[in-house]
Amino acid sequence: NSSDTSVLPTALKGAKKDVRDHLLAALPERSRNMLVEEMDNIGAIRKKDSQGAQSYIVDTTKMLSEDGTIQIPSNEQDEFIE
C-alpha cells in the first residue's frame, strides 16, 4: 500500500465499534493513545477507503500465515495426543 502508516487507522476508523474497541483494548496504553490520535487526525474518510485498508490487512495477514511467517490461532481447540 502506498501509505502503510495510515492503513491501520484508516481500517479502524471504518470498523464496527466493538471490533475497534476490542483491538484498542489489546494494545498498550501508549500505542492505543497514538493510534486513536492518528484516527482523529486523518479526519473524515470514504467508506471504500476504510474497506480497502481492511482488505489490505486481511490479505497481508493471510499471505503471512500461508508462508509460515505468522500463525493464526484457530477457533477450534487443538487436541494433544500422548
Side-chain angles (χ1 to χ4, degrees), residues 1-2 6-15 39 42-55:
N1 197 331
S2 61
S6 68
V7 171
L8 187 56
T10 300
L12 284 179
K13 191 152 186 167
M39 290 168 54
I42 61 175
I45 60 169
R46 292 182 299 189
K47 184 176 182 177
K48 74 175 191 172
D49 291 338
S50 180
Q51 291 171 335
Q54 292 167 4
S55 293

Side-chain angles (χ1 to χ4, degrees), residues 4-59:
D4 286 343
T5 58
S6 68
V7 171
L8 187 56
T10 300
L12 284 179
K13 191 152 186 167
K16 292 180 181 175
K17 184 180 181 334
D18 60 330
V19 172
R20 184 175 49 245
D21 290 348
H22 182 77
L23 188 127
L24 290 172
L27 295 174
E29 182 178 4
R30 183 170 181 224
S31 298
R32 179 175 51 248
N33 291 342
M34 289 172 57
L35 184 53
V36 168
E37 184 177 333
E38 287 179 63
M39 290 168 54
D40 291 342
N41 288 339
I42 61 175
I45 60 169
R46 292 182 299 189
K47 184 176 182 177
K48 74 175 191 172
D49 291 338
S50 180
Q51 291 171 335
Q54 292 167 4
S55 293
Y56 176 78
I57 290 170
V58 170
D59 293 344

